[in-house]
Amino acid sequence: MGKFIPSVVFLLFTSFGLLAQKGNNSSLTIKEIMKGDDFVGHRPSNAHWSTDGKTLYFDWNPDGAMSDSLYAYSTATKNVRKVDFLTAAALPASRITYNDTKTKGVYTKNNDIFLLDIATYTATAITKTKDREGDPHFTNKGTKIAYTKGDDLYVWDMATGTTEQLTNFVKSKDSEPKRDSKDEWLYHDQLELFDVLRERKAKKDAGEKLEEKLKALEPLELVTNGKTVIGQQIDPSGRYITYVLMDRPKTKSAIVPHFVTESGYTEDQNTRSKVGDEPTTFEMFVYNIAQRKSYPVVLDNLEGLDYVPEYTKDYPDKPYKNDNRLGSIGGPTWSTDGSKALLDIQANDYKDRWIVLLDPEKGTVEQLDRQHDEAWIAGPGISGWGGGSLGWMPNGKEFWFMSEKTGYAHLYTMDISSKKAKALTSGEFEIYDPFISKDESRWYFTANKTHPGDRQFYTMPLKGGKMEQLTHEVGGNEVTLSPDEKNMAILYSYSNRPTELFIQENPVFTKETTKAVQITRSNTDAFDAYEWKDPEIITFEASDGAKVHARLYQPDPSVKNKAAVIFVHGAGYLQNAHKWWSSYFREYMFHNLLVDNGYTVLDIDYRGSAGYGRDWRTGIYRHMGGKDLSDQVDGAKMLMEKYGIDTDKIGIYGGSYGGFITLMGMFNAPETFSAGGAIRSVGDWAAYNHGYTARILNTPATDSLSYKRSSPIYFADGLKGQLLILHGMVDDNVHFQDMVRLSQKLIELGKENWEMAVYPVERHGFVEPSSWTDEYTRIFNLFQEALLDK
């Protein structure tokens, strides 16, 4: 094996004078494939229908312009045309909120509010201002439209055209300073002594009473005490306004310096704080408009508010304190008649989700469902900012929601009186994006029932039952139904075929299997000139007996060099061993180039990846770099045992979480990995953000053991193979400081077999083709030198 050039650290800045690819025998070049969409072809996206269902709109850029434009497909003529700028600007937005009868809709476009008549497909501007208006919704039995401007809520009366301000949020109320006892006596003595003072006071008091009467006609002042107002909403009856006051503690933010700037000066960017912040507090209030009073929603009856996490048993001498476990509050989700509302509440330690029934008149709640996880609550449709997926059933007596109760994300209903939940779907697969049909007779949703890496569109009776598969092409099927639900717009892709837009008749209405018809063709001639490989989806057994899914790329036996590269996808909770076009499409093309050069490539959906249920998702709890790393090591052993890979010819690379695993692999499994390319990597989880990290590792102050066993910087002494670190200097997600700290650690340890390449103008997701090219040329050369001695 070749020697890596010893160095303390090389700062290898990108430039247009790029490195040469050493010994590339593929017809592909790194410079070509790293052009991204300019090489592959720009893909259609954001498919949405006109309300009459006659036109399908989508964003597209078949000509390689500076940006996407709006295109339209006519169901009558079957033609695709580009929509001119002025016409596109006048069209309704793709996201519309409808009234109960689905005859009208409201939407936001360019920060203004519009009312859409569904029958005529004509829009009326409700606002035309420089202010930012948003969150429109119907109220007062559909006769008014509410929206937010700044912190406050307004309503527009459809009949009169009158706009009324309903709230008046203020930081504090002005009040006259209170007199002490001496001044209070003097005040009354003056009034007793002088007639003129008494008369003036009487006039002033009369004027203030009149002012109070006039104020009663104005919105009530709602005091925020400096907290942030979010979630302003009025119920469908127009009687109650709900809002949340969010108080985010002041934290110290990390600064990211920008060295290459238009001004010529170094410019600092304030970014985020680090994990371990004091939790943000959320308080919900109800404003009773008629009674002109605001009161808090009481949440102290939720089950498990005094819960102490199991991990604290590892710290018997450390007191645990979490006086207020309440985190974000999603909703309310109102029933159609406005008589009932659901709240979706998350715990600030991410281990609980409560769904509760709100009594707006009293400001009290009744718990309907509690989802608890010793690790953290998540999964499709279960958690997120503003709550998970839920809604009311047509009968108004039940609601639907998502839960991982069985270990997989499935669809449930619950009767609010009996509080009995019913599973509508079940099995070792997951449900995505469920919604009820317009005629309220059935469900539509996506599921990976046939294979974890195959997503199809399904329908099912409203009360549950047999799932009917409506799409049939293996891969990824992202479906948008036409307003009458008779046509399906499908953004479809396969492993080696990038996303294109298709249209298919809905078999629910045709009563027979239908075929999808392709309406866009986006590939470039250069992309089509190459025969792209269809990676095999395999499974192998991990050391603990788990079944691991992976993508396998094998070279032709005539060029096989007995070397292998393992790619580690990023984001942790993400899926890449699937059968649709990958978001890591540059890496996919790079793997084709590697295979042409004789490498075997393995792409593993390690522990923590999406698509495989709760146990797989939480397999990294309290130890990132544990089972997610051992899955890579077990994959390497499988390659050696089954595919004839030499023990000293295995490399590993990946970005973000994949870069983190690469570092852990190079430090903790040096006998397995001879070389590693760590891109935009996390080197110390204590330096990453709170929302992601605290779910998995808790906080450094409460669970320091998890951070020490999960952070590469503590294991740097284990480096033996050849390591290449690559990082953008203006990365405001995983800060460049993280790798600067790691480089200092490597220097102090006297390690010489590593290099660092830095990219002065790149953030976490690279933009410039020159940066991508430089990055992957260095990675290719690393494997050529370290694994093949070229």
Side-chain angles (χ1 to χ4, degrees):
M1 228 163 59
K3 299 280 187 180
F4 209 42
I5 301 172
S7 65
V8 176
V9 59
F10 291 116
L11 295 181
L12 304 172
F13 293 92
T14 58
S15 68
F16 288 100
L18 298 167
L19 300 172
Q21 298 166 47
K22 299 182 179 179
N24 178 21
N25 296 316
S26 174
S27 61
L28 298 172
T29 67
I30 293 175
K31 184 176 182 179
E32 184 178 41
I33 63 180
M34 290 304 155
K35 292 177 182 177
D37 287 336
D38 285 342
F39 171 68
V40 177
H42 295 261
R43 318 320 301 179
S45 63
N46 188 30
H48 57 283
W49 294 88
S50 61
T51 56
D52 60 8
K54 295 180 180 179
T55 306
L56 174 61
Y57 293 102
F58 55 97
D59 296 331
W60 198 26
N61 182 12
D63 301 322
M66 292 294 289
S67 62
D68 286 359
S69 298
L70 187 68
Y71 280 75
Y73 169 80
S74 169
T75 57
T77 66
K78 315 298 183 188
N79 292 329
V80 173
R81 61 179 175 83
K82 186 176 181 178
V83 181
D84 67 82
F85 177 79
L86 292 178
T87 302
L91 287 172
S94 57
R95 292 185 179 181
I96 300 172
T97 300
Y98 296 95
N99 62 358
D100 294 340
T101 58
K102 304 294 190 295
T103 57
K104 296 186 183 299
V106 290
Y107 61 89
T108 304
K109 191 168 186 179
N110 300 324
N111 298 323
D112 285 312
I113 309 297
F114 293 84
L115 173 65
L116 179 67
D117 184 277
I118 304 304
T120 62
Y121 199 51
T122 57
T124 301
I126 297 173
T127 66
K128 269 291 187 183
T129 72
K130 290 185 178 180
D131 293 317
R132 190 184 190 93
E133 290 107 3
D135 305 314
H137 52 283
F138 289 94
T139 185
N140 291 76
K141 299 180 180 181
T143 63
K144 295 182 180 181
I145 294 169
Y147 60 90
T148 58
K149 181 168 70 171
D151 286 342
D152 288 307
L153 194 68
Y154 295 76
V155 290
W156 179 75
D157 191 306
M158 295 168 59
T160 65
T162 303
T163 298
E164 180 184 1
Q165 182 176 339
L166 296 183
T167 63
N168 181 24
F169 288 102
V170 295
K171 289 186 178 180
S172 61
K173 282 189 176 181
D174 295 330
S175 58
E176 294 183 5
K178 190 175 180 181
R179 293 182 287 267
D180 59 22
S181 58
K182 178 191 70 174
D183 290 341
E184 186 70 16
W185 179 89
L186 186 61
Y187 169 76
H188 289 290
D189 185 57
Q190 290 292 95
L191 291 177
E192 288 181 12
L193 285 172
F194 302 105
D195 293 339
V196 67
L197 294 182
R198 287 196 302 275
E199 291 171 3
R200 288 180 179 179
K201 182 180 184 304
K203 290 180 180 179
K204 179 183 177 185
D205 290 346
E208 288 178 350
K209 285 182 180 179
L210 180 60
E211 279 188 25
E212 287 297 320
K213 289 182 179 179
L214 293 173
K215 273 192 173 182
L217 303 176
E218 299 175 356
L220 179 69
E221 287 188 343
L222 302 172
V223 181
T224 67
N225 293 317
K227 299 175 183 178
T228 303
V229 185
I230 60 173
Q232 307 93 311
Q233 187 182 152
I234 187 169
D235 80 292
S237 70
R239 293 181 297 164
Y240 303 104
I241 293 173
T242 54
Y243 60 95
V244 173
L245 294 184
M246 180 177 71
D247 189 17
R248 195 188 302 275
K250 290 184 178 179
T251 56
K252 185 176 182 179
S253 296
I255 293 173
V256 173
H258 292 232
F259 292 93
V260 180
T261 63
E262 292 181 6
S263 68
Y265 292 88
T266 300
E267 298 174 4
D268 291 337
Q269 176 190 353
N270 283 317
T271 57
R272 55 165 174 80
S273 60
K274 302 179 189 292
V275 62
D277 295 340
E278 286 295 315
T280 299
T281 61
F282 298 84
E283 302 169 274
M284 175 170 273
F285 293 82
V286 177
Y287 171 32
N288 187 314
I289 299 173
Q291 297 182 12
R292 289 180 60 79
K293 66 177 183 179
S294 177
Y295 41 90
V297 175
V298 180
L299 299 172
D300 58 8
N301 62 333
L302 301 185
E303 180 186 351
L305 288 178
D306 58 351
Y307 166 72
V308 177
E310 286 78 0
Y311 75 83
T312 59
K313 295 175 183 176
D314 289 349
Y315 307 92
D317 300 325
K318 183 188 294 185
Y320 178 78
K321 185 179 180 182
N322 190 358
D323 295 333
N324 178 12
R325 288 189 67 225
L326 295 174
S328 62
I329 304 172
T333 300
W334 292 95
S335 59
T336 302
D337 61 4
S339 63
K340 297 177 286 292
L342 300 169
L343 301 181
D344 190 345
I345 304 168
Q346 311 278 331
N348 62 19
D349 58 12
Y350 311 110
K351 301 180 189 299
D352 274 290
R353 177 196 186 193
W354 298 275
I355 300 174
V356 303
L357 188 67
L358 170 68
D359 182 337
E361 186 175 354
K362 298 177 181 177
T364 58
V365 300
E366 179 184 359
Q367 181 176 306
L368 299 173
D369 184 69
R370 178 193 179 194
Q371 298 173 26
H372 174 75
D373 198 307
E374 179 183 334
W376 75 98
I377 290 288
I382 293 168
S383 68
W385 181 257
S389 299
L390 55 77
W392 288 97
M393 296 294 285
N395 61 18
K397 299 176 182 179
E398 298 174 291
F399 70 96
W400 64 267
F401 63 101
M402 301 281 289
S403 173
E404 278 186 329
K405 183 179 180 180
T406 63
Y408 291 83
H410 280 292
L411 182 60
Y412 292 78
T413 59
M414 178 181 286
D415 184 287
I416 61 172
S417 298
S418 68
K419 298 182 184 177
K420 289 183 178 179
K422 176 187 176 183
L424 299 187
T425 59
S426 61
E428 294 185 356
F429 60 91
E430 294 188 324
I431 299 295
Y432 306 88
D433 306 318
F435 64 95
I436 296 172
S437 63
K438 276 194 171 183
D439 65 5
E440 300 180 340
S441 68
R442 62 180 61 249
W443 289 96
Y444 289 107
F445 52 80
T446 302
N448 61 352
K449 183 180 179 182
T450 58
H451 183 278
D454 179 34
R455 293 194 184 178
Q456 301 292 339
F457 192 60
Y458 293 84
T459 188
M460 179 182 70
L462 189 66
K463 294 184 179 181
K466 183 180 178 181
M467 294 169 53
E468 179 186 353
Q469 187 174 324
L470 301 178
T471 53
H472 297 279
E473 291 294 326
V474 173
N477 293 272
E478 184 183 331
V479 175
T480 304
L481 287 179
S482 61
D484 60 7
E485 299 179 357
K486 292 183 178 180
N487 285 300
M488 303 186 297
I490 309 171
L491 288 168
Y492 169 78
S493 68
Y494 184 67
S495 303
N496 60 354
R497 298 198 298 274
T499 304
E500 296 287 8
L501 183 58
F502 291 73
I503 190 167
Q504 178 183 336
E505 290 182 285
N506 187 347
V508 169
F509 293 90
T510 63
K511 307 300 181 183
E512 60 184 5
T513 302
T514 56
K515 185 175 178 59
V517 177
Q518 185 173 341
I519 63 174
T520 63
R521 300 190 182 278
S522 311
N523 293 355
T524 66
D525 292 341
F527 180 82
D528 282 339
Y530 181 84
E531 188 174 344
W532 297 99
K533 297 163 181 63
D534 183 2
E536 181 184 0
I537 305 295
I538 66 166
T539 60
F540 63 88
E541 188 173 310
S543 53
D544 64 353
K547 184 180 178 182
V548 185
H549 287 75
R551 273 185 169 190
L552 177 67
Y553 303 73
Q554 293 193 72
D556 187 276
S558 64
V559 298
K560 184 172 181 177
N561 56 24
K562 295 187 176 183
V565 171
I566 293 179
F567 170 67
V568 190
H569 70 67
Y573 191 64
L574 181 145
Q575 187 177 9
N576 206 47
H578 52 63
K579 299 181 181 181
W580 60 86
W581 184 247
S582 176
S583 58
Y584 288 95
F585 66 95
R586 288 181 179 86
E587 289 77 359
Y588 164 78
M589 294 188 290
F590 182 60
H591 297 161
N592 277 258
L593 182 146
L594 288 175
V595 170
D596 289 346
N597 282 278
Y599 291 91
T600 301
V601 179
L602 190 66
D603 176 357
I604 301 171
D605 273 347
Y606 51 85
R607 234 65 66 95
S609 297
Y612 306 95
R614 181 266 171 195
D615 290 348
W616 203 262
R617 174 180 65 76
T618 61
I620 57 174
Y621 178 56
R622 298 192 69 205
H623 192 184
M624 292 193 275
K627 290 182 179 179
D628 44 359
L629 174 58
S630 65
D631 286 343
Q632 317 296 330
V633 174
D634 292 337
K637 290 178 180 177
M638 180 270 300
L639 290 175
M640 290 184 280
E641 294 169 359
K642 190 173 180 180
Y643 295 96
I645 300 302
D646 289 348
T647 58
D648 61 346
K649 290 185 177 180
I650 299 178
I652 185 171
Y653 89 101
S656 195
Y657 198 100
F660 150 71
I661 288 293
T662 298
L663 293 175
M664 290 295 267
M666 295 300 293
F667 297 163
N668 287 340
E671 71 287 348
T672 300
F673 303 111
S674 298
I679 309 167
R680 49 187 175 275
S681 317
V682 175
D684 184 354
W685 285 108
Y688 198 51
N689 70 35
H690 185 87
Y692 179 87
T693 320
R695 283 174 162 83
I696 305 171
L697 300 180
N698 305 305
T699 68
T702 62
D703 197 2
S704 57
L705 292 174
S706 293
Y707 282 80
K708 288 193 175 180
R709 65 181 167 220
S710 299
S711 297
I713 197 167
Y714 293 102
F715 303 99
D717 193 38
L719 178 63
K720 293 181 181 177
Q722 300 174 9
L723 173 63
L724 173 62
I725 298 170
L726 311 104
H727 213 103
M729 293 182 73
V730 293
D731 191 331
D732 47 14
N733 181 9
V734 179
H735 297 154
F736 179 55
Q737 179 194 23
D738 215 2
M739 288 301 98
V740 174
R741 292 175 66 240
L742 180 61
S743 67
Q744 178 61 28
K745 187 66 176 178
L746 292 169
I747 291 168
E748 292 180 5
L749 291 169
K751 299 294 181 179
E752 297 182 348
N753 50 329
W754 63 283
E755 289 183 345
M756 180 186 289
V758 300
Y759 299 86
V761 298
E762 298 292 359
R763 299 181 187 271
H764 196 62
F766 280 22
V767 174
E768 301 301 329
S770 57
S771 300
W772 280 102
T773 303
D774 184 278
E775 183 178 48
Y776 276 81
T777 300
R778 294 182 190 280
I779 293 170
F780 179 76
N781 289 344
L782 166 70
F783 294 144
Q784 291 286 85
E785 294 172 4
L787 305 183
L788 303 180
D789 196 18
K790 286 190 176 181

